[in-house]
Amino acid sequence: MLNSEKTLQWEECRRTDQMTIGILSGGGDAPGINAVIRAIMRKGIQKYGYQIVGIKDGWAGLLEARYMALDLNATQGLLSRGGSILGTSRTNPFKSDTGPEKIMKNVNEARIEAVIAIGGDDTLSVAEKMGKHGLKTVGVPKTIDNDLAGTDVTFGFNTAVSIATDALDRLHTTAESHHRVIILEVMGRYTGWIALEAGIAGGADVVLIPEKPFDINEVCELIKRRQERGRNFSIIVVAEGAKPKGGVEIVYSESLDEFGHIKLGGIGYYLGKEIEKYLPIETRVVVLGHVQRGGTPTAYDRVLATRYGIGAIDAVHQGKFGQMVAMRGNKIGTVPLKEVVGKRKTVDLDLYDIASVFFG
Ligand code: F6P
């Protein structure tokens, strides 16, 4: 069984002279990372005869030469396990002038032929840029936010939506008993995918997303319309990046991470106070937070993660570097990383129109 706590130096990981492929996970974790790792290992070791090495804590592990032995025994129990056995970080090697050089030195010393980077836009943008420094990379699209361009869906998203939907089902019964408005704030950064799909699945009465800045008067009107129909409770889903018309996002902290992102959070409380200013109805707020990212992946995400893992190791085998595996219309293929990074896949507004049929 793998000792996930122990950080190894390269020579302790190397067992043979087989071609060596490194795997890393970067950015926020997402349910299904371990299922991707498992698939890469099973096909990479059994079918292609590669040696697989885990790189600890995202790009930080390559900067600091911190590795983890990954053999077939290590695949045990990974399919359903949440988090990342490799650890993850938001380390950006391009923050320092010597970062890319250090990575290439470590990769060459460890004789790692290619790196599979499991991540969202930040992690994959590093993979793309490192390609220009000579690193062979393949990307795997991971984020609960589902905001990556070039793919129909990222793994982790379905699990986050399921968790948010379950929360909405539970909030419905308590909101109804107490005749309250309950606001559920969900993640998603600058897109409203989680809010929108959970809102549809969980029967939300209002869904607020970054792509459609809201007007507080319209939100109150929808609540009133329900009251007029005898529905003396309402459920609102708000994405953390949602903002009022002409306003800005509410931030939890102004401090920036290494990729320049602020921490969003707090729109739910802002909204709750606004509603209580205009309407005589008790309003409560639930911030779902990291519950959306933790724990076991859904069956859908296990299958998707497995397909992405197989797609990634196949891409390595075929020498398709500088590519990301992607799902397009239920087929797994590859797309150049340079066509993906720095773009954002915002919600399909047709889907928002469907959700809005049920507002108020
Ligand atoms: O990108 C995934 C995500 O969960 C976002 O939805 C959220 O804004 C952010 O990460 C939170 O990051 P952290 O885990 O650093 O709090």
Side-chain angles (χ1 to χ4, degrees):
M1 190 58 192
L2 186 73
N3 177 356
S4 61
E5 294 308 312
K6 198 174 165 213
T7 296
L8 299 175
Q9 293 304 305
W10 170 245
E11 287 311 321
E12 296 173 87
C13 293
R14 178 173 284 285
R15 290 177 302 280
T16 69
D17 280 330
Q18 293 156 308
M19 177 162 156
T20 300
I21 311 300
I23 314 177
L24 63 81
S25 56
D29 66 350
I33 294 177
N34 292 324
V36 174
I37 296 170
R38 168 181 176 265
I40 294 170
M41 286 163 70
R42 287 294 291 266
K43 191 155 185 189
I45 297 170
Q46 282 181 321
K47 170 103 194 231
Y48 297 135
Y50 295 149
Q51 186 162 214
I52 309 285
V53 63
I55 297 158
K56 293 195 117 185
D57 301 329
W59 292 106
L62 264 194
L63 279 172
E64 295 154 14
R66 290 190 287 116
Y67 307 112
M68 185 172 163
L70 292 177
D71 58 20
L72 279 183
N73 285 337
T75 59
Q76 206 179 313
L78 289 191
L79 182 59
S80 58
R81 186 162 156 186
S84 170
I85 57 162
L86 302 177
T88 183
S89 73
R90 297 195 189 275
T91 301
N92 180 359
F94 287 89
K95 281 295 271 186
S96 128
D97 290 344
T98 55
E101 230 172 87
K102 268 192 202 156
I103 286 187
M104 290 316 292
K105 181 173 164 285
N106 288 336
V107 161
N108 291 330
E109 267 176 21
R111 285 181 278 153
I112 295 175
E113 300 272 343
V115 171
I116 298 176
I118 306 170
D121 190 57
D122 297 334
T123 305
L124 298 183
S125 70
V126 173
E128 197 268 329
K129 282 203 243 168
M130 282 306 305
K132 295 175 191 145
H133 291 261
L135 187 67
K136 293 177 181 164
T137 57
V138 169
V140 177
K142 169 240 62 167
T143 167
I144 63 163
D145 303 338
N146 197 34
D147 60 352
L148 260 179
T151 185
D152 292 353
V153 65
T154 55
F155 77 84
F157 171 62
N158 181 269
T159 306
V161 169
S162 302
I163 293 167
T165 303
D166 181 57
L168 287 172
D169 289 347
R170 290 169 192 280
L171 293 175
H172 256 104
T173 61
T174 177
E176 184 169 17
S177 308
H178 286 268
H179 320 296
R180 286 171 171 159
V181 171
I182 297 192
I183 298 168
L184 180 69
E185 179 181 312
V186 297
M187 285 183 169
R189 233 195 271 263
Y190 297 105
T191 64
W193 286 103
I194 299 175
L196 184 52
E197 292 217 356
I200 294 173
D205 305 305
V206 181
V207 177
L208 304 175
I209 59 172
E211 291 88 341
K212 283 249 174 198
F214 63 86
D215 177 337
I216 189 66
N217 296 313
E218 283 168 19
V219 174
C220 290
E221 277 310 311
L222 291 169
I223 296 169
K224 276 205 291 199
R225 200 163 91 187
R226 280 177 60 74
Q227 288 173 324
E228 281 154 22
R229 284 195 294 124
R231 293 271 194 265
N232 210 14
F233 73 98
S234 290
I235 297 290
I236 301 179
V237 185
V238 62
E240 61 181 358
K243 53 188 178 203
K245 276 183 188 155
V248 289
E249 295 93 1
I250 309 275
V251 298
Y252 175 79
S253 152
E254 295 280 357
S255 70
L256 301 179
D257 71 14
E258 293 197 3
F259 289 90
H261 303 299
I262 38 168
K263 284 194 182 65
L264 294 172
I267 183 69
Y269 287 104
Y270 165 85
L271 194 63
K273 290 207 176 95
E274 287 294 296
I275 290 170
E276 283 193 341
K277 256 194 231 166
Y278 295 102
L279 295 177
I281 182 163
E282 189 181 6
T283 302
R284 295 297 182 91
V285 180
V286 174
V287 180
L288 201 50
H290 294 84
V291 172
Q292 289 158 98
R293 291 212 321 239
T296 59
T298 55
Y300 178 90
D301 273 336
R302 293 179 201 192
V303 174
L304 183 62
T306 300
R307 292 180 74 188
Y308 278 153
I310 298 294
I313 198 69
D314 284 347
V316 167
H317 195 66
Q318 292 156 12
K320 290 185 178 169
F321 299 115
Q323 305 275 319
M324 178 185 86
V325 290
M327 169 88 108
R328 296 264 178 88
N330 206 30
K331 286 271 173 244
I332 302 286
T334 58
V335 51
L337 277 167
K338 65 173 182 323
E339 288 178 15
V340 169
V341 297
K343 296 185 181 149
R344 183 180 296 148
K345 186 181 69 187
T346 52
V347 302
D348 175 355
L349 290 177
D350 290 345
L351 203 55
Y352 191 80
D353 288 343
I354 290 173
S356 62
V357 170
F358 302 92
F359 291 176

